[in-house]
Amino acid sequence: MRQNIFLTLSIAVPLMFTSPVLAGNPAHIQRLLTTNECMRCDLSNEDLRYAHLIGADLRDANLSGSALIEANLEGADMTGANLEGSNLTGAMVTNASLNDSNLDNVNFTRAMIYDADVTGASMNNLDLTSAQIFDTGIGIGGQDPAFD
C-alpha cells in the first residue's frame, strides 16, 4: 500500500507544479498551412520547423517563441510580426519583409538571410552564429562610432 501511495505522489506532485505551455491558435495553424496566409494570427510557441512558408502573408502575426527551424520563409511578408524569442536556426529568409517587426532575442544560427528588408525592426540580442547575411540591414559587431 505504501508503494502505491509513493508511486501516486511521485507522479502527481510534479504535475501540480508545472504550468501549461501557452501555444497559438490551432485554427490559425490550419489556416496558415492551408492558405499560406495568416495575417494577425496567433502562432506563438508553435512548432513550425521545416515549414514551407514561401511567400506567406504573416503580417502582424504573433510568432513569438515559435520554432521555425529550417523553415523556408522565402518571400514571406512578416511586416509588423512579433518573432521575439523565436528559433530560426537554419531558416531560409530570402527576399522577406521584416519591416517594423520584433526580432528581439531571435536565434538566427546558420540562417540564410538574403535581401531581407528589416527597416524599422527591433533587433536586440540576436544570435547570428554562423548566419549568412547578404544585402540585409543586419550587422555583426559593436556600435558604429558615427552614431555616438
Side-chain angles (χ1 to χ4, degrees):
M1 180 67 171
R2 273 190 174 173
Q3 286 180 326
N4 288 342
I5 292 172
F6 179 73
L7 180 61
T8 301
L9 288 175
S10 67
I11 293 170
V13 170
L15 293 175
M16 292 177 359
F17 294 103
T18 60
S19 58
V21 175
L22 300 176
N25 183 325
H28 291 177
I29 291 290
Q30 185 62 37
R31 185 166 104 200
L32 174 63
L33 297 177
T34 303
T35 67
N36 209 32
E37 181 277 327
C38 212
M39 217 171 115
R40 291 184 206 86
C41 285
D42 181 6
L43 304 168
S44 59
N45 301 305
E46 288 295 342
D47 186 350
L48 296 167
R49 67 185 80 211
Y50 311 114
H52 291 276
L53 301 173
I54 299 167
D57 184 353
L58 292 164
R59 289 175 289 165
D60 297 312
N62 181 4
L63 291 152
S64 62
S66 290
L68 290 155
I69 299 164
E70 295 190 29
N72 188 337
L73 295 160
E74 184 177 351
D77 188 351
M78 295 177 277
T79 300
N82 179 7
L83 286 106
E84 184 173 6
S86 292
N87 188 348
L88 279 87
T89 297
M92 172 72 80
V93 186
T94 303
N95 297 314
S97 176
L98 294 160
N99 295 331
D100 301 317
S101 61
N102 180 352
L103 301 175
D104 293 345
N105 303 304
V106 170
N107 182 352
F108 280 118
T109 298
R110 295 186 330 275
M112 293 159 280
I113 309 167
Y114 307 147
D115 299 307
D117 189 349
V118 293
T119 305
S122 178
M123 296 183 276
N124 296 305
N125 199 31
L126 297 179
D127 186 345
L128 299 169
T129 305
S130 300
Q132 298 175 28
I133 305 167
F134 297 101
D135 295 325
T136 300
I138 297 175
I140 301 172
Q143 183 176 0
D144 187 337
F147 293 105
D148 284 340

